[in-house]
Every structure is written in C-alpha cells, then in structure tokens.
Amino acid sequence: MEYLKIQEVAEKWGVSVRSVQMLCAAGKIPGAHRFGRDWMIPKDAQKPADGRSRAARLASNDDMPLPRKTPFLYMSDLYRTPGEADAVGASLFYNHEAQVLFEAEVAYSRGNIDRVYDSANYLLSKHSGFYAVLSAGMLLAMCAIWKGDIEMWRRAKIHIAEAPAKSDYDRDAMQLAISAVDIMLYSVESFPEWFKTGCFEPLHKDAYPAAKVYYAKYLYAVGYAVATGALKLEGAAGLYVMSSVPYTIEPMICWANERNTVMSELYLRLTCAAVYHNSGQDEQAIRHIDRAISLALPDRLYGTLAEYCRVLDTLMEKRLSLVDEAAWVKVKELYQVYNVGWSRLSGTVRGKTIVTSLTTRQREIAKLAAFGMSNKEIADKLNMSLAGVKQALVAITDKTGVGRDRFAAFL
C-alpha cells in the first residue's frame, strides 16, 4: 500500500495540516498509522465528510461521539499550544458538535458570554450526545454566573442531571459536573467522596485534565472555608489547610505542562496562585500568575483571567499591566461584569448579600480580617499604616453593616 505524508494529504484535500493531524488522532482516517511524531496515510484514503454540512448531519448518528470523553474539550490535549485555539476549532470541522462546543468553550475564556449562551442552547436543543449535553449544561451554568441569573443556573443543573448517561463512567462524570458547577460559588458539599480523596479512577482518562482543575478548586474552597471559620476540621484552623494545598497542586501543574494541556495548566496555575496569595506567599503567586498570563494572552483568554481577579486582589492588575496594558483594560472591564453577576447569583443561592461596593483593597482587608489576622498583621502584609487599616475596617463595616467577625459572609 502506498502512503502519503500529512502535508501531502492536506494539499490534496485542501485543508490545513492541523486538520489532518486531528483527523488522524481521532481515528477518522482508516488505515492511517503513526510513525514516531508523523502520520502515514493511505494514498487512496477519502476525506471525511464535513460535519457542518447538512448531508453529513443527516447521515450521522444523533449521538455523535466527541473526540474526547470529557466535560470540557478545551482542557484536553486537543488544545496543546498557546495561540492555536482558533486553529484547533477549525480542525474539528469533521464533527459539528465538537466544533460548536470547543469554540463555545474558547468564547467563554474570552468573555464572549452571549456566544456561549447561544451555543449551549443550540447543543441542548439538538439533544446531542452525553458529553456534549453535559458540557453545554455546564457552560449554561457559567453564563448564569456572569449574568447573575438564578433561573438560568437552575435550568443548567437540570440539563446536566438529565444528560443521557449510558455507563458508570457517564454517571460519575455527571456527578462531578454537578459538583463543578457548585464549586464556582465555593460550595463543596456535593462532591462525591471518591473525588474528595483525589481519586479520578471512576472517570474516563480523557476527563483527567478537567478533574484536576476542579480538584484544585475544591482544595482551595476547603482551605478558604477553614480559614474563615465556615468549615470546621479537627486539628486544622486558620491558614494551615490553605498553606498545604500547593503540595498537591504543584505536581498537577507539572503534569499539565508535560502533557501540553493549555487550559488545564492555565486554571491550575491561577488556582495555585490564589492559594499562595492567601497564604502570604506572593512571590510564589507571581510565578504562577506570570506563566498563566503567557498562556492566556496569545489566544486572548481575558475571561479566564477576569474570573481570578476576585481571589487575586490587586496582583492580577500589577502583573498583567506590566506585560500588556490594553489587555488589562479589557480584563478589568470583564471582571466588573463577572463580579456583579457572581455576587448576585452567589448571594441568591446562599441566601446572603454579597457586597459589591467594596474596593479591591477593602475586600482584601476584609478577607484577611476574616482569616483572623490582627490589624497589625494586616498592615504588615499589605505595607499599610495601622491607621490606614483601621480606617478601611470602619469603611467596610459601614458598607456591610457588620463587624469583622462576620465579614466572610459578605465577600
């Protein structure tokens, strides 16, 4: 049998080299074999039908499988290189659902929430396959956060719960998806017991990159809850749990980096930076923020950076504005939208009022006070005068209407 190289096939079919690579990796080209880092493709191989065409959709099964069994395609190894998000989306032309989903996920990371909303509803209305429905439901929940829409949030969770599961893998992924939605509001109660120990075996291996991201978020949320006294753990108090979390996240970051999973590395680094920042280790936090920025900027993933402004206080502005002032302006605009929406939804779900009128500095001071730090400790950490801290605490009390022992409930 005669074989052609990827470049030759790309020219023959009139598509990009990346598209042919994706088709090979997804097993869409019968007879294609991998030799080292290259693919050899039978000379008489036929170009797979474009999944976007009407004919291809009519001929396909309604439950068209995604190229990876994971709640989030863009956290998988499909997206391996910063700056290639659009190219990866284009290369998924052979699977319409996968392309719509991946491009919606990228749109979310860019802060284009209206496009995400339309794409999620499209996938849900088409009664797509299990992972497409699961992912679309999660995207709808994420839209609800940006919009502060409780009804959209509830509808999203219903869609996730009604995804057409066919196996134990599917059912465990569904359980994790519900928990992943809750963790966006710092709720850790719904995570399954197997997940709380860091065990991902009930999931398909394709879902491991996303699982690691949500496990890191889970650890951060637990550490935060313990530090503010909202969660009681025997033998642990204050920032003890928070300060131990990097020992788990750092190896996961190395894992994501080694496997070139751009989005999982980006989220893991930002989460680890938040942990370090809250633990008083800003030098370590900056190391991860700078690397996260280098991953995000080539594809303009400003929405993801905006998500973390809330937990990184002024650090995101300080680091991003040094690299790209225009990017920081865009991230700041997105953060203002996200913060209002998140606060409204979080307050409604938890039956509390999340105060949005605090400045970034006031919220940081309130958080440190909620962690149990004294006025002097806060002043030393933030390089402020003691009088400045006291004045800020008075302003925070005026805006929230409560004393420092209840600040955590309003953050």
Side-chain angles (χ1 to χ4, degrees):
M1 181 181 290
E2 295 185 59
Y3 289 89
L4 299 177
K5 293 183 178 180
I6 278 184
Q7 291 84 351
E8 296 172 310
V9 174
E11 292 177 8
K12 179 181 176 181
W13 290 350
V15 298
S16 68
V17 169
R18 178 67 173 167
S19 294
V20 180
Q21 290 173 329
M22 292 292 299
L23 290 169
C24 291
K28 295 293 181 179
I29 305 178
H33 296 284
R34 190 170 194 128
F35 294 91
R37 299 178 65 182
D38 297 320
W39 287 90
M40 299 302 293
I41 302 168
K43 185 177 181 179
D44 60 355
Q46 298 297 307
K47 176 183 175 182
D50 189 331
R52 294 168 294 183
S53 69
R54 185 172 182 273
R57 291 188 211 175
L58 290 174
S60 70
N61 187 305
D62 287 339
D63 191 8
M64 181 185 293
L66 298 182
R68 298 291 185 273
K69 296 182 183 297
T70 173
F72 277 118
L73 283 182
Y74 76 154
M75 287 189 191
S76 73
D77 60 355
L78 292 176
Y79 179 22
R80 300 175 60 84
T81 307
E84 292 193 358
D86 291 331
V88 174
S91 73
L92 293 170
F93 68 90
Y94 62 88
N95 187 323
H96 182 65
E97 286 187 342
Q99 187 170 51
V100 171
L101 178 57
F102 182 89
E103 290 178 349
E105 291 166 350
V106 173
Y108 176 80
S109 281
R110 289 173 173 167
N112 189 351
I113 305 305
D114 288 337
R115 178 176 178 181
V116 178
Y117 178 77
D118 291 340
S119 297
N121 280 309
Y122 169 79
L123 290 168
L124 292 168
S125 68
K126 296 293 289 184
H127 303 290
S128 305
F130 172 73
Y131 282 99
V133 170
L134 202 66
S135 303
M138 294 179 71
L139 285 172
L140 195 63
M142 293 157 76
C143 289
I145 291 177
W146 282 76
K147 294 177 179 292
D149 190 330
I150 184 63
E151 293 305 320
M152 188 188 301
W153 170 267
R154 290 169 177 161
R155 181 159 56 91
K157 296 185 77 169
I158 291 173
H159 282 303
I160 293 173
E162 293 180 346
K166 296 180 179 179
S167 67
D168 289 340
Y169 274 142
D170 291 352
R171 283 180 280 275
D172 285 323
M174 182 189 298
Q175 189 178 14
L176 178 58
I178 290 291
S179 302
V181 166
D182 289 340
I183 198 63
M184 296 174 194
L185 302 181
Y186 298 160
S187 173
V188 299
E189 289 80 10
S190 60
F191 278 101
E193 291 302 317
W194 52 264
F195 186 81
K196 292 179 181 180
T197 65
C199 173
F200 306 143
E201 289 183 356
L203 303 171
H204 192 282
K205 290 183 179 179
D206 288 348
Y208 283 11
K212 290 175 185 289
V213 167
Y214 291 116
Y215 189 61
K217 288 175 175 284
Y218 165 75
L219 293 177
Y220 171 79
V222 169
Y224 185 90
V226 171
T228 58
L231 177 65
K232 305 295 183 183
L233 291 181
E234 186 175 351
L239 291 168
Y240 173 77
V241 174
M242 182 85 74
S243 62
S244 67
V245 169
Y247 293 102
T248 300
I249 302 182
E250 289 281 12
M252 294 197 294
I253 292 172
C254 293
W255 181 92
N257 178 266
E258 189 271 332
R259 284 163 175 75
N260 298 313
T261 52
V262 174
M263 283 308 304
S264 62
E265 182 181 349
L266 174 58
Y267 272 108
L268 286 168
R269 286 190 182 276
L270 289 173
T271 303
C272 198
V275 171
Y276 277 129
H277 173 57
N278 284 316
S279 301
Q281 302 179 66
D282 278 357
E283 288 186 8
Q284 295 295 341
I286 287 170
R287 173 170 63 89
H288 286 299
I289 292 172
D290 289 350
R291 173 57 180 163
I293 288 172
S294 73
L295 292 172
L297 289 186
D299 280 312
R300 309 179 307 283
L301 306 181
Y302 303 144
T304 299
L305 297 180
E307 280 186 70
Y308 279 82
C309 288
R310 209 171 193 285
V311 293
L312 290 171
D313 301 311
T314 59
L315 277 186
M316 181 64 76
E317 176 183 2
K318 291 176 181 177
R319 303 312 298 176
L320 182 54
S321 59
L322 286 175
V323 178
D324 190 330
E325 182 65 36
W328 165 244
V329 171
K330 182 61 177 177
V331 169
K332 184 178 180 180
E333 291 175 355
L334 290 172
Y335 169 61
Q336 290 171 345
V337 176
Y338 177 83
N339 187 44
V340 171
W342 184 92
S343 299
R344 182 187 303 136
L345 182 63
S346 179
T348 302
V349 171
R350 295 191 287 172
K352 299 176 180 179
T353 300
I354 308 299
V355 177
T356 59
S357 59
L358 298 179
T359 66
T360 300
R361 177 61 87 185
Q362 287 172 344
R363 192 174 60 253
E364 186 173 16
I365 291 171
K367 179 175 63 177
L368 296 177
F371 286 167
M373 290 189 180
S374 66
N375 291 356
K376 185 177 186 310
E377 288 172 328
I378 295 173
D380 291 342
K381 177 176 172 54
L382 300 181
N383 294 316
M384 295 177 62
S385 68
L386 192 57
V389 172
K390 291 179 179 178
Q391 185 177 11
L393 289 170
V394 171
I396 295 166
T397 296
D398 288 342
K399 291 181 178 181
T400 62
V402 300
R404 64 193 297 156
D405 60 328
R406 293 187 57 203
F407 282 170
F410 291 83
L411 299 177

